[in-house]
Amino acid sequence: MILSLAAVAAMSSGGGSSLNSSSPLDPFDSSTSWSLAEDPSNSSSEPVVRTLTPDLQPATTAVAVQEVNPWDIALCVTGTLISCENALVIAVLFYTPTLRAPMFILIGSLAVADLLAGLGLILNFVFTYLVDGSVEFVTLLSVGLLISAFSASILNILAITVDRYLSLYNALTYHTERTVTYTYVMVALIWVLCLTLGLLPAFGWNCLRDEYTCSICWPVTKINAVALAVTFLLVFALMMQLYLQICKIAFRHAQQIAVQHQFVAISTTKGVSTLSAILCAFGACWLPFAMYSIVADSSYPVIYTYATVLPATCCSVINPIIYAFRNPDIQKSLWMACCGCVPSNLSLRPRTSSDV
């Protein structure tokens, strides 16, 4: 998906061609100067015969060097940061046997999606500047990877939101209904759907043959981009509704516990603030790009696309912070892996899916 930005920028920068020393001389070439020279074999008193010979001088060879776009550098750096963060999360979840609850499976799936998104940004930079990006296979591979990864990231965030809602709405039966097998099946369905979306450009939903149908993300078609953007808006609206219901349930629980009224009120207020921050961060990252994908096409200035894509990729930077590093169980595993100890101020209360 992001490959389109570098491709458009590269096409607008142009390039030069080098001179071939074995090619015939062009009399009108400005790099070749001409001078009058006498024939050295003419030593008689006859009129001097002057011949026009070229004065060959070393000309400066123009080498086609593609200028690196600063926006592509920023995306590559972002991708590197995303990859490092989420690789750490995956390593902690993989090497900690106690982190196998459904909530951690969803967090791990989100980390895998964001890791692939970060690798996709890095590969996009490599394909653009170090590999021949004009090859259709390379283009479709990069676009498919980015579409699949970012789609999986968004759907895993939705799955985590649904999991938190169910843990509050069905608090008594949650742990019996939400088994590990059920969670794995849901994660598998998410990835099958996202991989299908990523394969759409390879199946013909691309504008490689017709540039007039391109969206802001070459070679994704305008119709495909609008469909993805509308789907995101529906997902975002569903997340807002779920978080609103979570807040209502949390306040209802707070009112029902009269003995711990003050404590719960403070805790509930903090939880609502956290939910609001999560939702605002998610919307601020993705809404500009989604709205711009609907109204714009390939004829719009590419800088606007870069300006909306970069915040969208930053969502994968903050996801590990929101969903993983804030978790006390993951924090405990990180401390044990780094220094072999656990800080005394770290909460050791078991974490549940309803915690935010």
Side-chain angles (χ1 to χ4, degrees):
M1 180 171 58
I2 316 298
L3 185 66
S4 58
L5 310 182
V8 173
M11 287 188 293
S12 62
S13 63
S17 59
S18 59
L19 295 176
N20 191 344
S21 59
S22 62
S23 60
L25 295 171
D26 186 357
F28 299 100
D29 190 355
S30 60
S31 65
T32 305
S33 61
W34 298 79
S35 62
L36 291 175
E38 296 183 358
D39 186 358
S41 63
N42 188 4
S43 58
S44 62
S45 60
E46 295 180 358
V48 177
V49 179
R50 298 181 180 272
T51 60
L52 189 64
T53 60
D55 184 12
L56 297 178
Q57 298 177 355
T60 303
T61 303
V63 180
V65 179
Q66 185 176 352
E67 183 179 357
V68 179
N69 193 319
W71 288 98
D72 289 326
I73 297 177
L75 289 174
C76 184
V77 172
T78 304
T80 304
L81 181 59
I82 292 172
S83 301
C84 294
E85 281 184 323
N86 289 280
L88 180 60
V89 174
I90 294 173
V92 170
L93 294 177
F94 183 80
Y95 288 105
T96 307
T98 58
L99 303 180
R100 295 293 184 269
M103 174 185 59
F104 295 110
I105 296 174
L106 294 176
I107 293 176
S109 179
L110 175 62
V112 171
D114 287 333
L115 174 62
L116 292 177
L119 294 177
L121 293 174
I122 298 174
L123 290 177
N124 171 74
F125 185 87
V126 173
F127 289 159
T128 302
Y129 296 102
L130 302 179
V131 182
D132 187 5
S134 62
V135 180
E136 290 187 5
F137 172 76
V138 172
T139 302
L140 296 176
L141 175 63
S142 177
V143 170
L145 176 60
L146 290 171
I147 291 178
S148 298
F150 282 114
S151 299
S153 177
I154 293 174
L155 291 182
N156 276 292
I157 292 176
L158 176 62
I160 292 175
T161 306
V162 173
D163 184 67
R164 288 176 171 176
Y165 169 74
L166 292 177
S167 67
L168 287 173
Y169 185 75
N170 297 325
L172 297 178
T173 60
Y174 170 80
H175 293 286
T176 58
E177 294 177 352
R178 298 282 293 175
T179 61
V180 173
T181 303
Y182 178 87
T183 306
Y184 275 122
V185 171
M186 183 174 62
V187 169
L189 292 177
I190 289 175
W191 279 102
V192 169
L193 176 60
C194 294
L195 290 176
T196 303
L197 292 176
L199 290 174
L200 288 180
F203 288 157
W205 283 42
N206 60 69
C207 58
L208 293 175
R209 301 291 184 267
D210 187 6
E211 295 184 358
Y212 293 101
T213 62
C214 284
S215 66
I216 58 174
C217 295
W218 182 85
V220 180
T221 61
K222 175 68 175 179
I223 297 176
N224 197 0
V226 171
L228 291 174
V230 171
T231 303
F232 165 78
L233 294 178
L234 294 176
V235 170
F236 183 70
L238 180 58
M239 288 181 59
M240 289 183 61
Q241 180 65 23
L242 289 173
Y243 274 130
L244 180 61
Q245 295 299 322
I246 289 174
C247 292
K248 289 182 178 180
I249 295 174
F251 278 118
R252 191 184 307 125
H253 288 177
Q255 294 174 356
Q256 292 174 351
I257 306 177
V259 178
Q260 298 177 344
H261 177 71
Q262 182 179 1
F263 169 77
V264 174
I266 297 175
S267 177
T268 304
T269 303
K270 180 180 178 181
V272 172
S273 301
T274 304
L275 289 176
S276 301
I278 293 173
L279 197 60
C280 289
F282 182 72
C285 289
W286 278 106
L287 279 178
F289 178 69
M291 299 301 297
Y292 188 68
S293 298
I294 295 175
V295 302
D297 54 32
S298 58
S299 63
Y300 281 60
V302 69
I303 188 174
Y304 297 149
T305 306
Y306 275 115
T308 55
V309 164
L310 187 59
T313 59
C314 289
C315 184
S316 295
V317 176
I318 64 177
N319 282 342
I321 300 174
I322 294 176
Y323 298 101
F325 296 143
R326 290 177 58 251
N327 188 292
D329 295 316
I330 296 180
Q331 291 179 8
K332 177 182 177 182
S333 298
L334 284 174
W335 278 104
M336 290 297 295
C338 294
C339 61
C341 60
V342 179
S344 58
N345 59 347
L346 183 63
S347 174
L348 297 181
R349 177 179 63 88
R351 189 79 167 182
T352 62
S353 299
S354 59
D355 292 333
V356 294

